[in-house]
Each structure stands twice: as C-alpha cells, then as structure tokens.
Amino acid sequence: MKPLLLIDVDGPLNPYAAKAQRRPEGYTTHRMRPTGWRESESAEPLRVWLNHDHGAELLALAESYELVWATTWKDEANDWIGPHLGLPRLPFIDWPQMHGRAPRGTFWKTQYVLEYAGGREFAWIDDDIGDADREYVETRHPAHALLMRIDERFGLLREDFDALAAWAGNGS
C-alpha cells in the first residue's frame, strides 16, 4: 500500500504570504469564490496564485503516493484547485471541526491527520506544521511519517518535491 501524501492548498500550492502586489515567478493569478469566502456575494473573489507545473510534479509523486487533499478547501479543492493543476478528483479529509482546540499545542489539523491516516505511512505538506506536531505524530503514530512545513511566502519548491520523492523511494 502506498503512503499517503496529504496536501494543503494555502501555503504549499498558493503562496498567499508572498508580497501582495507581486505574483511569484511561475505562478498565475486566479480569482475564486469557494463556499464561505466572505459570505457576501458582493465581496471580492479570493486571489489564489497557482503554479501549473505543480500539477505535473504531484502527478509524478502519485506513482509513489496516494494523493489526498488536507486543506480547509476540503472537496472544493477538487473544483477550484485541481482543474487548474491538471489533477484528477482526489479524496479529501473532511475535518470534523476546523480551527478548533488541539491537543498539546499542536496545529488543529494534526489530530485529524492521524485519524485519517489510520496507521498508514504518510507525508504531509502544510505551512502550519511545527515541532509540537512532529513530536505528537512521532509518539502517537505507529508508521513512518514525514511532516514538511512549507513556507507560505514561497510555496512548494524543487527541493520539496525532491525530498518527497526521496522519502517515498527509500521505503518511507
């Protein structure tokens, strides 16, 4: 069974914290209105920067991983993000609660990531992963796990894709 590759959108794929008026090189601007985005219909659409090369990189990783959305976009990542990257519909983590309390100072997603993984090996890319999350996973998850914090100013970089490929290639 392949390890899971749990993919966050904002930060890893959409470097939302890059300089506001300067789109990062290799990215294109998309305007989106996912459910709940500023509930008012008159609100400006959400600006999302995507690098279309990331789709091919993720599809290459799908040889070694089962790709899963691990984002607050949930299934809407399949409607708003995946098509721009050339990705098929992916399974997603349907968070029982978003932005709630988390055990032992961890990121709110961490407990649910472990539940979703269900003892399987996984790699997780997110911009909110910290040392407390790594420690929590290390002490509570029976299989190998790679937690990669991605800088939200730059998104996924070549070395991140290389590290993911190497991790999966080394029997995780």
Side-chain angles (χ1 to χ4, degrees), residues 1-24:
M1 184 177 289
K2 294 180 191 178
L4 301 167
L5 176 54
L6 306 173
I7 307 163
D8 183 30
V9 169
D10 295 316
L13 295 177
N14 171 28
Y16 66 88
K19 294 184 179 182
Q21 301 308 317
R22 181 191 269 171
R23 180 177 59 223

Side-chain angles (χ1 to χ4, degrees), residues 61-133:
L61 288 171
E63 297 292 321
S64 302
Y65 289 97
E66 179 185 330
L67 305 182
V68 176
W69 293 120
T71 173
T72 57
W73 291 72
K74 299 196 288 186
D75 189 37
E76 286 191 275
N78 284 311
D79 301 323
W80 293 98
I81 306 301
H84 291 291
L85 299 179
L87 297 175
R89 290 193 77 78
L90 301 177
F92 64 96
I93 299 176
D94 191 9
W95 313 107
Q97 179 179 353
M98 293 196 298
H99 310 289
R101 294 177 50 106
R104 301 185 67 216
T106 59
F107 178 38
W108 67 266
K109 287 183 183 177
T110 306
Q111 62 191 319
Y112 304 124
V113 161
L114 288 188
E115 287 176 20
Y116 186 88
R120 286 178 66 180
E121 292 185 338
F122 71 87
W124 177 25
I125 52 176
D126 200 298
D127 60 307
D128 284 310
I129 294 170
D131 290 338
D133 303 293

